[in-house]
Structures are given as C-alpha cells and as structure tokens.
C-alpha cells in the first residue's frame, strides 16, 4: 500500500488495525510488519528509539510489508509538536505522524503546518529517503501525508470539537492512559473513572465522525480493538511489542512452574 492509498483510507474512515512498536529492534519490527497490520507505529515519544532507530524501524516495516501482504505502512508518534521531529520523521519515510499533547485548534494548526510543504505549511524540503516512498513534488507529498492529533489532556477533551474542525487534520488519536489521568484516574485503567472515561471515548468518536475525520485509539488487545471499531472508531492500534513480549514470557513461566 502506498502512502497516498493509506491516506485515502484514513480519510475515508475505513476500518484499519495497527500495531505499536517501542523497541529499537528492527528484526522484530520486520516480522510484525509481515503479519498484515494496516500500519505500524514507531513510538518516538516514549519508545526506546533514536533517530537512527526510526530509520531502521521504517526500513524494517517496508521490508516486512513486502514479505507479507504489502499493505503495511509506517507511522511515527513524534516526541513533540515541533517542526524538527515532525519533519525528521517524514523525511525518514513515515507515511504520517501522530502528534502528542494537543490542547487546542492552534496546536493542530501548528502540527499541520510542520507536516506540510509551502504554501500549505512550513516543512523544509529535504525528503531524502521519503522521496522513495512519497512523491517529492510538494503538493503530492502534502496530499499523501497523514496528520493525527492525540486527544489525551483535559484541554484537548474540552476543545475536541474545535480540534476536529481544524483544516488539514486527518484524524484524532486517543491515548487512553493519559486521557484517564486527565479525567482523574489514580492510575491507567482505574475502574473508578470507567463511566466518565467511556463517555469521553464516545464523545471523541462522535465528534470526529461529525467533522468528517478519522478517530483512532490505542488498545491493549485484539478484543478491545474490535470493540472500539464497533463503537465508531475507524482505526485501532493493538498493544505493543514490549507489552506482548512481557505478557507471553510471564505466561510461559507460569505454565512451566505449574
């Protein structure tokens, strides 16, 4: 799948399923990308991945996709809403960026400008590896580049309608751990805020749909991803490499010790 095809699927609110990578382990990322996920996200904010690691991870995603269905693209959750990490992720070959800690429509507008070439935005021209995957003609690159804004703060939730209505934004993405904390959770998954948390998720999905943009969410297993897609989210990410590695290792240890 080309970046432009992926962008079209996101903007059409097709149901997409992705995976989250936090480790700088290209052979593992390659195997994950060969499984048939629609996208794989490299976590440049909380993940243990350097700039070189992002390059290696995106190369691994392309290689794994070619081995598998050919339908997997690489995204990057950037470290901050700043032109430097956004431009670097895109120059390295990401099909799009997930931008954290979005509070306002102005924050979204800054992210969109950072991800798009003039006259739409302020992205500096130097696509390097990106030109192999995304057309280096600025207007065509702009059309193929996906920008997703994370809704995970009290202000982001409050301003979700204005955020979703910002021109150039392709979708919003829920970070459930931070969103839960924003709603007063003592820890991620706190059952005491389950009701307002679900209300917030429904509000975000509904608001995005009314604005005509995609709504995505991070989930912790396939069953949860399926439920969120049925709820109205158009794309869902399933867990992460480190979480799965730990869970499977713990389960094998439990079984082995009886």
């Amino acid at each position: 799948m080309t970046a432009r095809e992926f962008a079209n699927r996101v903007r059409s609110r097709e149901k997409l399923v992705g995976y989250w990578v936090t480790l700088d382990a290209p052979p593992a990322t390659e195997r994950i990308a060969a499984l048939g996920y629609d996208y794989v996200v490299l976590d440049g904010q909380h993940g243990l991945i350097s700039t070189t690691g992002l390059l290696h991870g995106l190369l691994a995603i392309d290689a794994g996709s070619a081995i598998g269905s050919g339908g997997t693209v690489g995204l990057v959750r950037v470290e901050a809403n700043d032109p430097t990490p956004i431009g670097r992720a895109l120059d390295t070959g990401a099909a799009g960026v997930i931008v954290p800690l979005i509070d306002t429509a102005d924050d979204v507008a800054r992210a969109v400008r950072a991800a798009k070439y003039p006259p739409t935005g302020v992205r500096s021209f130097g696509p390097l590896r990106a030109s192999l995957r995304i057309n280096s003609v600025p207007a065509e690159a702009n059309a193929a580049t996906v920008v997703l804004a994370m809704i995970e703060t009290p202000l982001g939730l409050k301003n979700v309608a204005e955020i979703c209505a910002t021109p150039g934004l392709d979708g919003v993405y829920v970070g459930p751990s931070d969103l839960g904390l924003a709603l007063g959770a003592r820890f991620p998954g706190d059952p005491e805020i389950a009701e307002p948390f679900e209300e917030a998720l429904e509000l975000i999905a509904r608001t995005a749909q009314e604005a005509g943009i995609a709504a995505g969410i991070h989930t912790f297993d396939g069953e949860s991803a399926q439920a969120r897609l049925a709820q109205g989210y158009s794309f869902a990410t399933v867990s992460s490499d480190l979480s799965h590695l730990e869970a499977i290792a713990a389960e094998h240890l439990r079984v082995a010790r009886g």
Side-chain angles (χ1 to χ4, degrees):
M1 177 165 51
T2 67
R4 183 61 183 268
E5 290 169 341
F6 177 75
N8 289 341
R9 294 182 69 187
V10 170
R11 292 164 189 157
S12 298
R13 293 179 52 83
E14 288 189 34
K15 299 296 185 183
L16 304 172
V17 179
Y19 196 81
W20 199 265
V21 167
T22 64
L23 298 176
D24 187 356
T29 301
E30 182 180 32
R31 283 180 173 268
I32 290 165
L35 296 176
Y37 285 95
D38 297 302
Y39 63 90
V40 173
V41 182
L42 302 177
D43 189 353
Q45 183 190 23
H46 293 304
L48 307 174
I49 306 175
S50 65
T51 298
T52 302
L54 292 179
L55 169 61
H56 292 165
L58 290 167
L59 286 166
I61 292 168
D62 285 349
S65 177
I67 294 168
S69 66
T72 306
V73 303
L75 304 177
V76 172
R77 198 257 292 268
V78 295
E79 62 191 72
N81 187 7
D82 181 270
T84 299
I86 291 174
R88 182 179 295 123
L90 296 174
D91 288 346
T92 306
V97 290
I98 300 175
V99 185
L101 301 172
I102 295 294
D103 287 331
T104 66
D106 286 342
D107 288 344
V108 178
R110 286 194 294 114
V112 171
R113 287 196 300 270
K116 307 290 184 174
Y117 291 118
T120 304
V122 298
R123 179 181 171 190
S124 178
F125 190 82
L128 299 179
R129 178 173 181 268
S131 62
L132 297 174
R133 286 194 53 79
I134 301 173
N135 196 305
S136 58
V137 175
E140 296 182 18
N142 286 349
T145 299
V146 168
V147 180
L148 305 171
M150 292 199 72
I151 304 295
E152 54 183 348
T153 68
L155 276 176
L157 184 60
K158 178 183 177 181
N159 296 322
V160 65
E162 291 84 358
I163 287 170
C164 288
T166 306
L169 182 67
D170 296 301
V172 291
Y173 187 80
V174 176
S177 295
D178 279 322
L179 181 62
L181 295 177
L183 291 169
R186 298 163 297 167
F187 49 83
D190 186 353
E192 290 190 6
I193 58 97
E195 185 174 346
F197 181 75
E198 287 301 320
E199 290 174 354
L201 293 188
E202 291 174 6
L203 171 66
I204 293 166
R206 183 174 65 253
T207 304
Q209 184 171 16
E210 290 171 352
I213 66 171
I217 186 168
H218 190 93
T219 67
F220 299 100
D221 52 55
E223 291 78 10
S224 298
Q226 184 182 54
R228 296 306 180 192
L229 291 171
Q231 183 182 13
Y233 282 84
S234 52
F235 65 101
T237 308
V238 179
S239 196
S240 71
D241 51 356
L242 185 58
S243 295
H244 276 156
L245 177 65
E246 181 180 22
I248 293 299
E251 176 62 13
H252 282 300
L253 178 63
R254 184 193 66 80
V255 172
R257 287 184 169 168

